[in-house]
Amino acid sequence: MPDPGPSPLQSSLPGAAASFTARVLADAAAHVHAVPQGLAEARGLPAETGPEAPTGAPAGPPTVLPSGPAAGISSGASAGIPTVPVRVPAGPSRGLPVDVPAGAGAGGAVGVLAGGSGAAPAAPRRIAPDPGWVLRGPQGLGTAGLSLAPRADAPALPAEPPASADALIIPGLYWHPVPEPDPVRVEEVGLRIKSWALDEVQLYPEDWEGDFDGFHVGRYMVACHPDAPTIDHLMVATRLMVAENAVDDCYCEDLGGSPVGLGGRLLLAHTALDPLYSTAEYQPAWAESLHADAPRRAYRSAMEYFVRQATPSQADRFRHDMARLHLGYLAEAAWDETNHVPEVWEYLAMRQFNNFRPCPTITDTVGGYELPADLHAQPGMQRVLALAGNASTIVNDLYSYTKELASPGRHMNLPVVLADRESLSEKDAYLKAVEVHNDLMRDFEAASAELAAACPVPSVLRFLRGVAVWVDGNHYWHQTNTYRYSLPDFW
């Protein structure tokens, strides 16, 4: 895989980085080039070599980037894929150098992109991306140690934007503002996802259209994946998000869901992600079943698009995380059937499975690069992903609190469990849930910074920052989605 390049603009890591000593971070920076060299030697691969990056690039016509998947990521035929012009102006080098094979274009923040006519590429040349179009890494107090480029070379960055005037503000909640999502991308993703939902998978009846539009999934996914190189990459995440919500709503929640028989429904739906291999006699019946209802149609189609963009290991990673999600659904359903209110720690254990983890875990696929399977599997990375999913899911508990209380039946969320198990008032339980979220967020940031210092491989650093960006984007969507959410009157 190519060098993943610089990371996205915003990040949740500032506070965590400040907690590490300068000695540890300086040591990590000193060894950043030795780590990839050692990994290459361990695998018997040649270490990367090449000339020094030039101090500038001559002015000229835009470099054209193919908008297909990143090199090393499988895809279908690339004929007819549109191109995106990116101008590389003259000026001093202020970013990380990127290898650009002749005829393939440069990916800037996403590395080298596959494309061209299939002819053998010429020898690579190295250019310096202009800071105007390269997505940047973490910024703010305490982030110097997370950027392994000299700080003197980094351009000045704008201040973090404040929350919009109509945003829902939870007093005391720990969160980071994000730049407003690109409105052009938001609109395009919104148009494409609605066309997919209606025309390709017949996802919802006409009277559900208002709720579908009010979900604002285009703004959600653009905020969570600002480094996606193309709309096609964004659509991979968007289809999966919509499909996952269809399964949750129609199988588990108020739009026809029930805990009774949920295991059978989830297992059959999961075969749309992890296909059945059976005999010739029974395989056709299974294939036909994938079109039986909207959740399975959505899973099947979204997964087909995903595997075209992802590597086999990325697809298997996603299947594993979806199995985790479905296991969490079943635990909550079992408690619902028996009218059991879990202990707080039991609820948090369930929420580590029934949570957003499948969404940030695909940040590399959506970004057009790959975090290698062995680096993804290391315990430190697994801890980071678990904490990211846990914190993001408690955000959902907090913002959806009044929505769930107004829905039929009893909905289990952290404030409800805290009130029951710790004999707290509704207000005190809600405020304690805010504290739990804040502790999870700080643990996530500390774990991310620790792993960044211990394993400063470029793909690891970019993946960590991509996960942090997803966490921030997820909060942004909850905070600004006033169609779906409102806050309790506790202040």
Side-chain angles (χ1 to χ4, degrees):
M1 298 297 295
D3 184 327
S7 59
L9 180 63
Q10 73 271 17
S11 173
S12 294
L13 303 183
S19 68
F20 280 82
T21 65
R23 182 188 61 79
V24 173
L25 294 172
D27 182 67
H31 289 83
V32 65
H33 298 298
V35 173
Q37 173 90 19
L39 289 174
E41 292 174 353
R43 295 187 174 98
L45 301 174
E48 180 184 8
T49 59
E52 292 293 322
T55 58
T63 300
V64 176
L65 307 187
S67 60
I73 297 183
S74 59
S75 68
S78 59
I81 295 177
T83 57
V84 180
V86 176
R87 185 172 299 280
V88 184
S93 172
R94 302 179 75 174
L96 297 176
V98 178
D99 288 333
V100 185
V110 296
V112 182
L113 301 179
S117 61
R125 59 191 176 89
R126 296 174 76 84
I127 65 170
D130 173 63
W133 57 271
V134 173
L135 295 170
R136 287 292 166 189
Q139 54 185 294
L141 293 175
T143 59
L146 286 178
S147 177
L148 299 179
R151 296 299 291 181
D153 293 340
L157 292 168
E160 288 183 326
S164 61
D166 59 347
L168 304 170
I169 303 298
I170 298 176
L173 188 71
Y174 178 46
W175 56 279
H176 302 283
V178 303
E180 194 67 21
D182 179 354
V184 175
R185 285 190 157 198
V186 169
E187 181 180 10
E188 180 64 19
V189 170
L191 291 172
R192 290 197 195 185
I193 194 60
K194 193 165 186 178
S195 175
W196 173 79
L198 291 174
D199 301 334
E200 294 190 43
V201 298
Q202 298 79 50
L203 186 64
Y204 59 85
E206 185 176 341
D207 56 340
W208 291 6
E209 184 173 12
D211 287 339
F212 184 87
D213 293 342
F215 194 75
H216 296 300
V217 70
R219 190 171 76 233
Y220 194 177
M221 293 296 95
V222 175
C224 288
H225 299 284
D227 67 334
T230 69
I231 299 294
D232 288 340
H233 286 78
L234 280 169
M235 287 302 300
V236 164
T238 308
R239 292 187 200 94
L240 290 173
M241 171 63 76
V242 169
E244 290 156 24
N245 274 273
V247 170
D248 189 24
D249 287 344
C250 296
Y251 284 2
C252 309
E253 297 288 347
D254 301 328
L255 300 179
S258 168
V260 179
L262 179 60
R265 296 193 298 275
L266 282 178
L267 184 140
L268 295 179
H270 193 83
T271 66
L273 309 174
D274 199 348
L276 173 68
Y277 297 99
S278 187
T279 65
E281 180 180 0
Y282 298 109
Q283 195 78 9
W286 164 75
E288 185 178 352
S289 77
L290 300 183
H291 301 269
D293 58 24
R296 278 183 277 185
R297 290 193 297 270
Y299 262 7
R300 178 199 59 79
S301 177
M303 193 66 183
E304 284 183 356
Y305 281 102
F306 178 71
V307 297
R308 295 174 199 168
Q309 194 69 55
T311 66
S313 66
Q314 287 174 322
D316 195 57
R317 177 205 305 170
F318 177 74
R319 293 186 186 103
H320 188 184
D321 282 337
M322 288 301 291
R324 285 183 167 113
L325 175 65
H326 294 155
L327 180 61
Y329 285 170
L330 291 174
E332 185 172 4
W335 291 335
D336 189 19
E337 277 197 280
T338 59
N339 200 30
H340 171 68
V341 178
E343 298 287 348
V344 176
W345 72 264
E346 291 176 322
Y347 177 81
L348 293 173
M350 180 273 291
R351 274 311 221 175
Q352 182 160 307
F353 291 82
N354 178 4
N355 77 10
F356 285 107
R357 180 174 176 144
C359 304
T361 199
I362 63 170
T363 184
D364 55 340
T365 305
V366 181
Y369 68 101
E370 182 180 19
L371 176 70
D374 56 341
L375 296 178
H376 171 265
Q378 60 182 315
M381 185 65 76
Q382 293 300 301
R383 179 171 177 241
V384 165
L385 288 168
L387 288 166
N390 294 349
S392 298
T393 302
I394 303 306
V395 160
N396 180 262
D397 279 9
L398 294 169
Y399 282 98
S400 65
Y401 177 73
T402 59
K403 176 176 177 282
E404 292 183 347
L405 289 183
S407 300
R410 180 173 187 170
H411 284 259
M412 199 175 299
N413 56 51
L414 183 56
V416 167
V417 173
L418 283 165
D420 187 284
R421 284 298 186 175
E422 299 188 2
S423 301
L424 300 174
S425 68
E426 290 185 353
K427 176 180 178 179
D428 288 344
Y430 191 92
L431 296 180
K432 184 164 184 181
V434 171
E435 295 175 9
V436 172
H437 164 270
N438 293 350
D439 288 344
L440 288 169
M441 272 290 288
R442 293 188 179 99
D443 288 347
F444 158 65
E445 294 182 341
S448 298
E450 182 178 358
L451 183 56
C455 186
V457 179
S459 60
V460 169
L461 297 179
R462 183 174 180 191
F463 189 86
L464 289 173
R465 290 163 180 159
V467 172
V469 167
W470 195 96
V471 169
D472 292 343
N474 174 70
H475 173 265
Y476 161 86
W477 175 79
H478 281 85
Q479 186 185 62
T480 58
N481 195 331
T482 54
Y483 177 87
R484 287 174 62 88
Y485 303 123
S486 61
L487 297 179
D489 187 17
F490 288 155
W491 301 278

